[in-house]
Amino acid sequence: MKWTSKFQINQKIFGAIILALLFLAGVLGWIIWESLTNMMAEELKKRGLNIANTIAASSSDYILIDDYYSIHLLITQAQKANEDVRYILIINSNNGLVGHTFSDRLPKGILHAHTPDQFNSQPVVTLTSDEGNIHDILVPIEEGDVGFVRVGMTEQQARTYIFAKIGKLILATLLVCVGAAGIAYYVTRIITRPINSLVAVATGISAGNLSLRAKETNDDDVGKLARAFNEMTDNLISSGAKVEILLKELQEKDRLRDTLISKLLSAQEDERKRISRELHDGASQALTSLMVTMRVLTNEAKDIGQQELLQESREIAASILREIRDLAVELRPPILDDMGLTPAIKKYARKFEEKYGIEVLLFIPEESTVIDSQSAVALYRILQEGLTNVVKHTAASRIAITMETVDHYLWLTIHDNGHGIRQEDVERARLQNRIGIYGMKERAELLGGSFHLKAADTGGTELAVSIPIKLEKGCNHGTDHHDHAS
């Protein structure tokens, strides 16, 4: 039973003993009550039979000479001498009523409740009345030739006596229960004291105080439990020390891992910046010089075929130059370093929309949020990877990009209207060593942020990333701007 779980073990033992005592007292009371009641009924019947026989022996002559006064005097005195006698009836051989002890008229039905015809089968009949059970005893006068005597014995006086005895028994039982309860309480305290002490020690250990130990006072089961508990605590301390060492090693490995990843990302960004600069300063300038040379050669060419060939080659070189410049910008957009994250996002979204024909909606601050370069680069790379995944996997036609500041965290959310993402898709990407999702997650977590990717409630896929920032004074917190990228 659940309600017993809130009690302590000594309270449970004490309660069980008290319930057992009450149950025993109840059973004994019921047995005594039944025994006394049956004895009382048998005793009443015997006394009633003696009274009826005495009256039958004394009333024979009075009936024969019709001396009703003597009959009335005889039965009245007999009733007064016996408090348990409720009534006495004298019936002649013709079933006629000769005398009775009722002060007024007979109760209805009393005369026919026990007739002389029933003597051979039922000399004693128990009648039910408002006063309780009445044992009606029928005795013949001179074998019935003269008449019959009926004596009604009531249980009222006997029950009063029994109630008095039962009251004394209940009082004695209560006194015994109180004494037994005191003894039981003392015994349960002795039995449960080691257990309560063990519980206190266990509670202290669970709170972090590993220096506590249970007292091993006896060699009984509780003593064995205390020893086993102390051994378990020692093993726990030993295991805890090992776990602490392993935890420190793991934390150190995680720190080294984070440092390595951070350095790898930093080196990657530096390499991208270097490649972007070389493409812009080296290859782009070389192609520009080549295009100038081709234009001069085109103007000096005498043959129309040569001019067309040079012009076509110059256009191919211009296309390559544009692609190199786009690649250089994508590797490390100068606008990210020069103007900040917000303009860089706007420019990238506009070019993304032009390139893939996917509508991009921007909900970003009117002014650029000032954050450190590392956080800005991380958010920009996450945006690039997130939009690339939309093109590859979601078949979306619209993308909403939201950026806002909440409680010193910069939140970037990308929500598309594609077919959504399932957990098995993420697991499949992990098994196929697609590091895009995990790369975004690593970037966010290295900066103390969070990364979430899930199927949106309104359909499509939602990517949400947060990065902790320190806002500078004068930075705009909450003015959002709805901007169409194109």
Side-chain angles (χ1 to χ4, degrees):
M1 292 179 288
K2 293 183 179 179
W3 63 270
T4 60
S5 59
K6 60 183 180 181
F7 295 108
Q8 297 181 357
I9 186 170
N10 58 339
Q11 294 174 334
K12 293 179 181 178
I13 296 174
F14 179 72
I17 293 174
I18 294 299
L19 289 176
L21 288 173
L22 292 176
F23 176 75
L24 179 61
V27 172
L28 290 176
W30 178 78
I31 293 174
I32 293 173
W33 170 262
E34 287 293 320
S35 300
L36 290 177
T37 301
N38 293 332
M39 290 172 60
M40 176 267 299
E42 294 299 324
E43 182 64 24
L44 283 177
K45 291 176 183 179
K46 291 179 179 179
R47 288 178 56 204
L49 186 59
N50 291 332
I51 295 171
N53 287 326
T54 301
I55 294 174
S58 303
S59 63
S60 175
D61 293 337
Y62 299 144
I63 295 174
L64 292 176
I65 63 176
D66 296 330
D67 187 354
Y68 300 115
Y69 175 76
S70 298
I71 292 174
H72 179 73
L73 185 62
L74 175 64
I75 61 178
T76 301
Q77 291 176 347
Q79 184 184 28
K80 290 180 179 180
N82 298 276
E83 294 181 351
D84 295 326
V85 176
R86 180 63 183 87
Y87 60 82
I88 300 175
L89 302 178
I90 303 295
I91 302 171
N92 59 23
S93 58
N94 296 324
N95 292 332
L97 183 62
V98 176
H100 63 84
T101 57
F102 291 104
S103 58
D104 50 5
R105 61 182 181 177
L106 292 175
K108 186 178 179 180
I110 188 66
L111 190 59
H112 301 288
H114 195 189
T115 61
D117 297 337
Q118 299 174 312
F119 171 72
N120 293 326
S121 59
Q122 291 179 313
V124 180
V125 174
T126 301
L127 305 180
T128 302
S129 67
D130 297 338
E131 302 174 1
N133 292 335
I134 296 177
H135 302 284
D136 191 289
I137 301 165
L138 184 64
V139 173
I141 302 173
E142 296 185 3
E143 298 183 357
D145 295 334
V146 176
F148 291 85
V149 177
R150 283 179 57 189
V151 177
M153 303 296 290
T154 179
E155 295 182 353
Q156 188 171 6
Q157 294 295 329
R159 284 187 178 275
T160 302
Y161 174 79
I162 293 176
F163 284 144
K165 295 299 182 182
I166 291 295
K168 293 180 180 179
L169 177 64
I170 291 174
L171 179 61
T173 302
L174 290 176
L175 293 176
V176 171
C177 286
V178 170
I183 297 173
Y185 180 77
Y186 179 74
V187 172
T188 53
R189 286 294 300 271
I190 293 176
I191 294 175
T192 59
R193 187 181 294 117
I195 298 177
N196 292 333
S197 175
L198 187 60
V199 170
V201 172
T203 304
I205 291 176
S206 65
N209 188 1
L210 298 179
S211 62
L212 295 177
R213 291 295 182 275
K215 294 182 179 179
E216 304 175 14
T217 56
N218 300 318
D219 291 331
D220 56 5
D221 294 338
V222 177
K224 294 178 181 178
L225 179 62
R227 284 192 293 273
F229 184 83
N230 291 336
E231 292 176 0
M232 181 187 68
T233 305
D234 294 336
N235 293 333
L236 179 63
I237 293 175
S238 176
S239 300
K242 294 179 181 178
V243 170
E244 187 175 356
I245 294 173
L246 292 175
L247 182 60
K248 288 182 179 179
E249 293 178 354
L250 182 61
Q251 290 174 344
E252 180 65 19
K253 289 181 179 179
D254 286 342
R255 188 187 64 79
L256 293 175
R257 170 182 169 276
D258 292 343
T259 302
L260 178 60
I261 293 177
S262 179
K263 289 183 177 180
L264 286 175
L265 291 176
S266 178
Q268 185 184 57
E269 290 299 327
D270 292 341
E271 184 66 14
R272 286 187 175 188
K273 186 185 295 185
R274 184 187 66 80
I275 294 174
S276 174
R277 185 170 55 250
E278 289 183 359
L279 287 174
H280 184 271
D281 297 341
S284 295
Q285 290 181 5
L287 284 172
T288 301
S289 299
L290 179 62
M291 290 172 61
V292 171
T293 302
M294 287 182 177
R295 185 177 61 182
V296 172
L297 292 175
T298 300
N299 293 332
E300 295 180 355
K302 306 299 183 179
D303 192 319
I304 297 177
Q306 291 180 352
Q307 291 180 351
E308 292 178 350
L309 181 60
L310 288 171
Q311 182 65 29
E312 183 178 352
S313 298
R314 185 170 179 273
E315 291 177 356
I316 293 173
S319 176
I320 294 174
L321 177 60
R322 286 192 298 272
E323 291 181 359
I324 289 177
R325 285 179 176 176
D326 290 342
L327 178 60
V329 170
E330 185 173 350
L331 285 172
R332 182 70 179 198
I335 191 173
L336 183 63
D337 297 322
D338 298 337
M339 301 184 65
L341 179 63
T342 299
I345 290 177
K346 289 182 178 180
K347 184 175 181 181
Y348 183 80
R350 182 171 64 252
K351 287 193 173 184
F352 179 87
E353 192 175 44
E354 292 173 355
K355 183 175 181 180
Y356 296 104
I358 298 176
E359 183 182 9
V360 179
L361 302 177
L362 294 178
F363 301 89
I364 59 179
E366 185 73 22
E367 299 178 3
S368 180
T369 301
V370 180
I371 60 175
D372 61 281
S373 175
Q374 189 177 12
S375 298
V377 170
L379 286 173
Y380 186 79
R381 295 305 181 198
I382 291 173
L383 175 70
Q384 282 182 313
E385 184 66 30
L387 294 184
T388 302
N389 287 340
V390 170
V391 174
K392 290 181 179 179
H393 306 296
T394 66
S397 61
R398 184 186 305 109
I399 302 173
I401 300 174
T402 304
M403 189 169 67
E404 58 183 346
T405 301
V406 180
D407 296 333
H408 301 292
Y409 276 82
L410 184 62
W411 281 87
L412 176 67
T413 305
I414 303 173
H415 183 195
D416 64 68
N417 65 345
H419 53 63
I421 190 170
R422 298 170 298 178
Q423 184 61 35
E424 50 264 33
D425 296 333
V426 178
E427 184 65 21
R428 189 183 304 111
R430 184 186 68 82
L431 295 176
Q432 294 177 359
N433 294 323
R434 299 178 190 169
I435 62 173
I437 294 176
Y438 296 96
M440 292 186 285
K441 186 173 183 293
E442 288 287 351
R443 285 183 182 273
E445 292 180 351
L446 281 174
L447 296 174
S450 62
F451 176 86
H452 305 282
L453 181 65
K454 64 178 183 178
D457 297 335
T458 56
T461 304
E462 181 179 275
L463 183 153
V465 60
S466 68
I467 299 293
I469 59 172
K470 294 181 179 179
L471 298 176
E472 295 184 354
K473 293 184 179 179
C475 179
N476 189 347
H477 282 256
T479 303
D480 285 356
H481 176 62
H482 178 188
D483 183 21
H484 195 288
S486 60

